[in-house]
Amino acid sequence: MSTGRILWGAGTSRTIRAHWALHELGLSFELRPILPRTGQTKTTEFTALNARQKIPLLQDNGLILTESAAIISYLSDAYAKPDNRLIPIDPQPRARCLEWCFFVISELDATSLYVMRRHGDLGHIYGDAPVANASAANYFQQQMRSVERALHDDPRYILGDSFSAADILLSTCLTWAVRYGVPVSDPVMAYNQRVTSRPAYARALNTNHPPADAGAPAR
């Protein structure tokens, strides 16, 4: 275990992204498997690190970083080798990768899936809104058109032959959508099966699993 690298958070579709990146890059880390909506993110210790009281959070040799996509990008830039980069270095491939990352985070995660979470799983907090949930699910399906187009020629990954941060973000959203019952096309499902067959994903599932003494994880 590394005493200089600490990952806070487990049990959610967003926390697994940081776990997955760490395992893809072969990096050791100390895990603090705190869960959302259990009071664990509201402690004095954690709030001192992140006033937003959100997970995941990475501490790495003095750096404190939140937001799953930012964590993945940083880890790749700081520690990747030529054969396992999650964000390309060359400007044009990097721009394409970041385009997909920003699309997934904004259009699939925040605009679609998290709306469904707020007014579904968390309806007791934010209020039940079946019309909003149905609209968010429909919007997700509309946005899948760009994913289906990118996968038209059956590339192994969303950017072609190279696995990237975009695959981590997209795959976690696809798994999340399927869990919520949002229809996903066969080519997209086949893509997600390829991505989640990677050994690092299996390791991430293991470390992201909530502790045995924790309550039901909030996704």
Side-chain angles (χ1 to χ4, degrees):
M1 285 294 182
S2 169
T3 57
R5 186 178 303 118
I6 302 172
L7 179 64
W8 296 75
T12 82
S13 297
R14 290 172 172 174
T15 57
I16 195 173
R17 297 165 180 168
H19 289 255
W20 194 348
L22 285 159
H23 290 298
E24 288 285 352
L25 296 170
L27 300 175
S28 61
F29 61 99
E30 179 183 346
L31 176 61
R32 306 283 176 86
I34 64 173
L35 302 177
R37 306 191 188 282
T38 59
Q40 296 172 331
T41 62
K42 299 183 183 299
T43 64
T44 301
E45 180 185 15
F46 189 73
T47 301
L49 296 172
N50 185 7
R52 300 176 201 146
Q53 300 179 326
K54 299 285 188 178
I55 52 176
L57 179 145
L58 177 72
Q59 290 178 270
D60 188 37
N61 297 311
L63 175 68
I64 297 174
L65 191 62
T66 65
E67 301 300 330
S68 59
I71 291 171
I72 296 170
S73 179
Y74 163 73
L75 289 171
S76 180
D77 287 347
Y79 297 110
K81 300 173 183 177
D83 63 346
N84 67 0
R85 293 192 190 283
L86 300 176
I87 305 280
I89 291 179
D90 293 343
Q92 289 196 7
R94 184 180 184 89
R96 293 293 296 166
C97 181
L98 292 177
E99 178 187 29
W100 276 105
C101 291
F102 298 159
F103 163 76
V104 172
I105 290 298
S106 61
E107 302 296 339
L108 303 185
D109 183 319
T111 304
S112 304
L113 295 169
Y114 200 69
V115 170
M116 298 175 69
R117 170 161 164 69
R118 276 179 176 261
H119 300 297
D121 294 344
L122 304 177
H124 60 290
I125 298 173
Y126 297 105
D128 294 322
V131 174
N133 279 356
S135 296
N138 183 60
Y139 185 77
F140 184 94
Q141 290 179 272
Q142 292 176 18
Q143 296 307 309
M144 279 292 98
R145 289 188 300 235
S146 62
V147 177
E148 291 163 358
R149 180 176 297 178
L151 297 176
H152 181 265
D153 294 327
D154 199 30
R156 184 157 186 81
Y157 302 115
I158 200 66
L159 294 176
D161 294 331
S162 299
F163 180 81
S164 71
D167 295 298
I168 293 178
L169 297 173
L170 178 56
S171 176
T172 54
C173 281
L174 292 173
T175 301
W176 189 356
V178 169
R179 188 167 62 243
Y180 276 2
V182 180
V184 175
S185 69
D186 289 343
V188 175
M189 286 294 293
Y191 156 79
N192 200 38
Q193 289 170 0
R194 288 195 296 274
V195 173
T196 56
S197 69
R198 294 177 66 85
Y201 178 74
R203 292 192 290 271
L205 278 178
N206 183 56
T207 56
N208 189 57
H209 194 274
D213 59 352
R219 290 175 166 75

